Amino acid sequence: MRQAETYEHNPTRKTHGSSGIIKASFGENANMMEMAKQFLEISLKFKRIDRNLRRETTLALNQSMYSSECQNISSAGSRSDTAHHYLHNSESKNLSMFDGTRVKNVIFEGTRAVGVEYVFDKQAYPDVEQTVLAVRASCIVVVSAGATGSSLILEQSGIGAASILGKFGIKQVVDLPGVGKEYYDHPFLITPYTVDANTVTTEALSGKDPELWDKFKYLMLGHR
């Protein structure tokens, strides 16, 4: 990740990258930051209450802190993410995308990952035969299918606990009992709040007014 990232907020931070194509910052644009600033300023006026949620696993979540976080936005205020720099980049000549497909498992030669097997998704392509296809890796195989999806692919590939793999007749390649364990719900809550009447927001864009869109692009991105 560090090779792909430029952490513009603090380029010298060792846990982040400093020369990658994807930029991370607070978006040094006054209009983009004003809403967050107002929220943080108001939060300081409320009494701090420490509330800890504890579970039997000694997991503690502190819910008494407010802070802003760096996003995939350059310091110039432009979106900076995988889609913009890789998927929609006409210069990415060595990138191939396979839409509507599902990975079945990683292909191993011994304990070395050398490719993946996949099939076309029935919902996306109901008339396509469910023939198992394969692609070979020239260097490495990266499994990036989210917390639950990655674990499923690993177990289907023979990486996991023998007691689990054995139930489904999967030959174990690597004994890794922790795969798929210790998952917790990650609730997501959107809290609306009111900002100063003079603050620029994106609320008016819901009307899809071309003039408002042009103004928004100028204020947020610095160009028309």
Side-chain angles (χ1 to χ4, degrees):
M1 179 62 192
R2 282 185 290 179
Q3 293 180 347
E5 178 194 51
T6 294
Y7 191 63
E8 295 186 321
H9 176 60
N10 184 0
T12 62
R13 192 167 182 176
K14 294 182 179 180
T15 53
H16 289 270
S18 59
S19 60
I21 191 172
I22 296 179
K23 307 297 190 296
S25 76
F26 288 111
E28 309 301 333
N29 182 310
N31 291 295
M32 297 182 73
M33 293 297 296
E34 185 59 31
M35 288 184 288
K37 288 179 180 178
Q38 289 190 32
F39 180 88
L40 294 175
E41 288 171 356
I42 292 297
S43 68
L44 294 175
K45 298 181 180 180
F46 288 85
K47 181 179 179 181
R48 180 187 175 93
I49 302 176
D50 290 327
R51 298 188 298 273
N52 290 326
L53 297 181
R54 297 186 180 278
R55 299 184 180 184
E56 294 180 359
T57 55
T58 69
L59 175 65
L61 303 176
N62 190 302
Q63 295 183 311
S64 61
M65 299 178 65
Y66 299 93
S67 66
S68 56
E69 295 182 350
C70 284
Q71 303 291 331
N72 290 341
I73 303 171
S74 72
S75 57
S78 299
R79 175 73 67 180
S80 181
D81 54 24
T82 302
H84 284 74
H85 292 299
Y86 294 101
L87 302 185
H88 305 316
N89 186 352
S90 60
E91 296 181 1
S92 299
K93 305 299 182 181
N94 61 342
L95 176 66
S96 298
M97 289 288 297
F98 296 82
D99 71 307
T101 56
R102 290 182 177 272
V103 172
K104 283 180 55 53
N105 56 269
V106 178
I107 302 171
F108 282 94
E109 291 182 354
T111 57
R112 178 179 173 80
V114 296
V116 296
E117 290 185 334
Y118 68 96
V119 295
F120 281 95
D121 190 301
K122 289 183 178 180
Q123 292 184 335
Y125 297 102
D127 299 327
V128 176
E129 293 184 7
Q130 294 295 294
T131 304
V132 178
L133 304 172
V135 289
R136 304 281 292 189
S138 60
C139 184
I140 61 174
V141 175
V142 177
V143 177
S144 179
T148 55
S150 295
S151 297
L152 178 61
I153 292 173
L154 291 175
E155 289 183 323
Q156 290 178 167
S157 305
I159 300 176
S163 58
I164 299 295
L165 303 181
K167 292 180 181 179
F168 300 95
I170 300 174
K171 180 181 178 181
Q172 189 180 56
V173 177
V174 178
D175 182 21
L176 200 62
V179 174
K181 285 190 173 183
E182 305 299 335
Y183 283 111
Y184 299 98
D185 287 337
H186 188 180
F188 179 73
L189 177 66
I190 298 177
T191 306
Y193 59 95
T194 302
V195 296
D196 184 271
N198 296 321
T199 301
V200 177
T201 69
T202 60
E203 184 177 5
L205 296 177
S206 59
K208 299 182 180 180
D209 186 325
E211 292 185 5
L212 288 175
W213 274 103
D214 287 341
K215 181 180 179 181
F216 171 75
K217 287 190 291 185
Y218 177 72
L219 290 173
M220 299 300 187
L221 306 179
H223 59 77
R224 294 185 181 278

